[in-house]
């Protein structure tokens, strides 16, 4: 059963055609990595999934809800779809634990004890139980990104979107964050769409790799096949460039 389905989706920013006839189906439980050159539309595609960007034509069904329809309650969709960005936006004036507890308290209306127990368990999962009472300014960038992941998971999402979650981090922080994402994607029937150029990581976690260029999906392949024999020439060129680094 599909969690995310794009059918002939078109997205424009003014006159600029940012997503060109996107057709894509992601099943429940799948982990899909999205790659492509800067400006190809990766963030735009990810952001349409939780309604942060509107689409102009076609259909986009997320967890059974039609995102394009005005009557769709986007808050319901955002509850099911967690998003982690390149720049973690923790609330600077709240400690780590409170950052994780805030949304479940307001949106899920969890009682304080249960909320705290779950938040601590999540912080433990991302290796940060001992930082629960640090302020965001008192933890590293990699730790902050792991808090951001715990904060998203606290909403019990069915689907997670990661948009270049490690590209703003110092190299020595990257593995800890990737390990947390690996763990998250392996849990239950979580569905994940991950924009990343960390190719070793992608090969480990992804069922499929999607290559985008200039607003189009040019390749959508099982991971091994994509890395070993990309059929699209632009995908081949792109891969040879990033693998050299
Ligand atoms: P990527 O994440 O692959 O680098 P983006 O999805 O951010 O690409 O951007 C795709 C294209 O859409 C780029 O050409 C970018 O300049 C353009 N774009 C992105 N956001 C906006 C916006 N808010 N207004 C106008 N153009 C935008
Ligand atoms: Mg982007």
């Amino acid at each position: 059963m599909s969690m995310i389905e794009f059918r002939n989706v078109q997205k424009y920013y003014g006159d600029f055609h940012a997503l060109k006839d996107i057709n894509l189906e992601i099943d429940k439980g799948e982990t899909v990595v999205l790659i492509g050159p800067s400006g190809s539309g990766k963030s735009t595609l990810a952001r349409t999934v939780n309604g942060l960007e509107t689409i102009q034509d076609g259909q986009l069904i997320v967890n059974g809800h039609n995102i394009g329809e005005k009557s769709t309650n986007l808050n319901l969709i955002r509850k099911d779809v967690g998003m982690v960005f390149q720049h973690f936006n923790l609330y600077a004036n709240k400690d780590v634990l409170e950052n994780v507890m805030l949304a479940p308290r307001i949106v899920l209306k969890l009682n304080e004890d249960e909320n705290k127990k779950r938040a601590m368990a999540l912080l433990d999962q991302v290796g940060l139980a001992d930082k629960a009472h640090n302020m965001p300014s008192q933890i590293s960038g990699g730790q902050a990104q792991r808090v951001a992941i715990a904060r998203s998971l606290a909403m019990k999402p069915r689907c997670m979107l990661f948009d270049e979650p490690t590209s703003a981090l110092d190299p020595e922080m990257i593995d800890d964050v990737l390990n947390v994402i690996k763990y998250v994607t392996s849990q239950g029937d979580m569905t994940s769409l991950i924009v990343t150029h960390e190719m070793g990581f992608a090969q480990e976690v992804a069922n499929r790799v999607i290559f985008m260029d200039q607003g189009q999906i040019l390749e959508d392949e099982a991971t091994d096949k994509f890395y070993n024999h990309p059929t699209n020439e632009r995908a081949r060129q792109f891969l040879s460039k990033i693998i050299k680094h």
Side-chain angles (χ1 to χ4, degrees):
M1 185 150 157
S2 72
M3 171 60 72
I4 301 171
E5 190 175 350
F6 286 77
R7 292 189 204 140
N8 304 105
V9 167
Q10 315 285 347
K11 161 75 186 167
Y12 292 85
Y13 292 111
D15 292 339
F16 181 74
H17 200 174
L19 295 180
K20 297 174 185 158
D21 200 29
I22 299 294
N23 286 286
L24 171 64
E25 210 173 325
I26 301 180
D27 286 341
K28 281 201 175 112
E30 261 196 304
T31 301
V32 173
V33 158
L34 176 55
I35 69 172
S38 177
S40 57
K42 306 179 297 296
S43 295
T44 301
L45 188 149
R47 290 161 58 85
T48 59
V49 174
N50 67 351
L52 286 175
E53 298 290 352
T54 57
I55 62 173
Q56 276 66 52
D57 202 2
Q59 284 192 310
L60 174 51
I61 320 284
V62 179
N63 196 24
H65 301 283
N66 192 335
I67 297 257
E69 261 168 31
K70 290 210 166 56
S71 59
T72 301
N73 181 348
L74 287 179
N75 288 327
L76 273 182
I77 287 157
R78 293 194 185 123
K79 201 157 73 100
D80 287 337
V81 181
M83 183 146 188
V84 173
F85 302 90
Q86 181 172 349
H87 293 283
F88 25 85
N89 302 305
L90 298 181
Y91 303 107
N93 59 343
K94 301 194 187 300
D95 71 14
V96 162
L97 180 63
E98 184 58 20
N99 263 278
V100 179
M101 289 176 66
L102 197 61
R105 181 185 300 128
I106 296 168
V107 181
L108 304 181
K109 314 239 188 293
L110 291 185
N111 76 48
E112 264 326 87
D113 284 350
E114 192 194 342
N115 194 9
K116 188 166 179 185
K117 212 188 296 169
R118 290 180 66 247
M120 284 306 301
L122 284 166
L123 286 175
D124 195 41
Q125 272 175 25
V126 301
L128 292 171
D130 60 331
K131 304 288 182 193
H133 296 295
N134 284 39
M135 298 302 282
S137 61
Q138 297 167 325
I139 57 177
S140 72
Q143 290 169 339
Q145 191 61 301
R146 285 185 277 152
V147 174
I149 294 169
R151 185 177 59 173
S152 279
L153 292 176
M155 292 297 287
K156 303 185 196 170
R158 291 159 188 270
C159 173
M160 286 288 291
L161 309 171
F162 295 94
D163 191 359
E164 304 206 34
T166 59
S167 58
L169 299 177
D170 291 335
E172 68 270 24
M173 314 251 158
I174 291 177
D175 280 349
D176 288 340
V177 173
L178 293 181
N179 284 331
V180 165
I181 297 173
K182 249 182 245 173
Y183 175 78
V184 170
T185 57
S186 70
Q187 291 305 292
D189 61 354
M190 178 70 83
T191 308
S192 303
L193 176 63
I194 311 174
V195 181
T196 182
H197 292 147
E198 296 288 341
M199 289 298 122
F201 163 76
Q203 278 177 289
E204 273 182 68
V205 302
N207 303 101
R208 275 152 69 199
V209 177
I210 290 165
F211 174 75
M212 278 186 85
D213 194 17
Q214 297 180 16
Q216 285 176 300
I217 291 178
L218 296 186
E219 185 133 358
D220 178 350
E221 274 298 352
T223 308
D224 286 346
K225 182 151 190 293
F226 179 83
Y227 286 106
N228 296 321
H229 314 281
T231 48
N232 180 274
E233 180 55 31
R234 273 187 275 172
R236 233 196 315 266
Q237 283 173 10
F238 181 74
L239 210 53
S240 72
K241 271 188 231 154
I242 51 175
I243 281 177
K244 269 192 226 130
H245 292 293

